[in-house]
Each structure stands twice: as structure tokens, then as C-alpha cells.
Amino acid sequence: MKHISLRFLLALPFLTLANCDYKTPVWEYFPNMYDSPAREAQEDDGFSANGAANRIPPKGAIPMGYEPYPYTNVLTQDALPGADKGLKNPIAKASLGDLMIGEKRYQTYCTPCHGVRGAGNGTVVGPSPRFAQSPPALVGALVNSKTYTDGQIYHIITMGRGGMGSYAYQIEPQDRWKIVAYIRKLQEFQAKNEKLSQAN
């Protein structure tokens, strides 16, 4: 018991000091380690060899969490390797949330050319000769699950094709897959409508 009370008495001043508010800043060891000088990208930096604050990343450096697209050297979607013709779709079964994001991205980036329902009649298509080649319909016989794999559609979004440029910088990789899932839903909707019209 004596040892416990003695230890408590010895620790009491330290506990008291720890709860005090300092009126002056505490003394720092190696202040440069705490507060390193920050530079703006366009600012001059005398420490740098070329005087620029903006550093060039080392060759081959990639951002954390970034996975480079492995098929940047493949020119067309038909030349993609494997049974899936490119990357395998990580979204096995799209949830409602996935489809909502896919729809939002589709309406933003794809609708102007491919149309609201993927019929290739977007608002920027207009009468000939606005485009040398009209954007293809994403629903129907030309583009469907039998003619195009998910990997091929993803490749076209990523790398572009013909008059369509790459959307790799505008759309995140996971959102590209959600667009693919949404296009598949548009295709299903179109196929059901065609069956109903044929039945009638």
C-alpha cells in the first residue's frame, strides 16, 4: 500500500502539469520536422536544382491506389485478348446503387451522342453533315451482349474509338463499369420492347 501511495504522490505533479494550459508555446525539438516549409506549385524554390517548387515525379511513378490500364497499346476492341476480350467486369450483378451511378454518368457523358436510351440519336448528332459518321446505337443488333463483351465496351470508353475520344480522365474506372452495367439494362429494356411489339 505504501508503494502505491508513494507512486501516486510522485506522479501527482506530472498529472497536474499535464492538465495545465500553457500561456506560452511549448519548446519544440527540431522545429523543421514539425513545420516543414510548404511551397506553392508555381513558387520559386532555391533548394531545388532548377529553382522550381513543383517537382517532377520519378520515371515510372504512379499515384497510390492507381492501377494502370493494361491495354493502352491495343488499338481496337476486337484485338483485345482473352475470352472476355479485355478486363473482366468486376460487377457480377449490378445493384440499384450501381445502376443509378451508371445512369448519372451515362446521362452526363454519353447521352449527347448516343441518346437518352442509347439509340444513337443524341442532341449533338443533328442533321448531316454534322458528323462524318453518326454515333452507333448502343441498343439493338450492332451492340449487344453477343457482339460486344463488357470488356470491349469498357475499352472503348477508356481508349475511345473513331470519332469518340477517350473518357479515361473524365470517368473513374469503377464508374466506367457502372456505365457498362447501365448500357446492359438499356439493351434489356429495348429487347423486351421489341418482343412486345412483335407479339402485338
Side-chain angles (χ1 to χ4, degrees):
M1 194 72 177
K2 272 187 178 182
H3 294 296
I4 294 170
S5 60
L6 183 61
R7 285 180 186 167
F8 179 74
L9 288 172
L10 289 172
L12 190 61
F14 294 105
L15 293 171
T16 308
L17 289 171
N19 291 322
C20 290
D21 290 329
Y22 292 101
K23 293 184 180 176
T24 57
V26 294
W27 191 62
E28 292 180 349
Y29 295 96
F30 304 110
N32 286 342
M33 297 290 282
Y34 286 96
D35 306 308
S36 59
R39 305 281 184 195
E40 294 294 330
Q42 306 301 321
E43 193 178 347
D44 181 60
D45 184 8
F47 183 74
S48 176
N50 64 357
N54 196 12
R55 303 287 196 271
I56 298 170
K59 188 177 179 180
I62 58 171
M64 286 181 66
Y66 172 75
E67 291 183 18
Y69 184 60
Y71 303 119
T72 53
N73 59 341
V74 179
L75 297 177
T76 66
Q77 73 280 354
D78 295 324
L80 289 165
D84 292 316
K85 287 287 184 185
L87 297 178
K88 186 174 174 63
N89 192 340
I91 303 172
K93 189 176 180 184
S95 66
L96 180 61
D98 292 334
L99 291 171
M100 286 175 72
I101 293 169
E103 180 185 16
K104 188 174 180 181
R105 299 292 180 270
Y106 178 89
Q107 298 301 338
T108 302
Y109 297 104
C110 311
T111 293
C113 292
H114 294 286
V116 175
R117 292 194 178 174
N121 57 351
T123 54
V124 301
V125 176
S128 183
R130 186 176 289 187
F131 284 132
Q133 184 179 356
S134 294
L138 301 176
V139 295
L142 182 64
V143 181
N144 58 48
S145 58
K146 292 177 182 176
T147 56
Y148 278 76
T149 66
D150 289 358
Q152 287 177 307
I153 297 173
Y154 182 89
H155 182 76
I156 292 169
I157 297 169
T158 305
M159 300 302 297
R161 177 190 173 188
M164 174 181 158
S166 166
Y167 281 88
Y169 294 104
Q170 292 95 327
I171 308 170
E172 292 291 327
Q174 63 271 21
D175 287 353
R176 286 176 234 157
W177 289 117
K178 290 169 187 175
I179 290 173
V180 172
Y182 180 71
I183 290 170
R184 293 301 190 206
K185 281 295 172 189
L186 288 177
Q187 291 170 351
E188 284 177 23
F189 180 76
Q190 177 70 13
K192 284 178 184 175
N193 280 348
E194 284 175 2
K195 279 184 181 178
L196 284 172
S197 63
Q198 287 171 4
N200 295 332

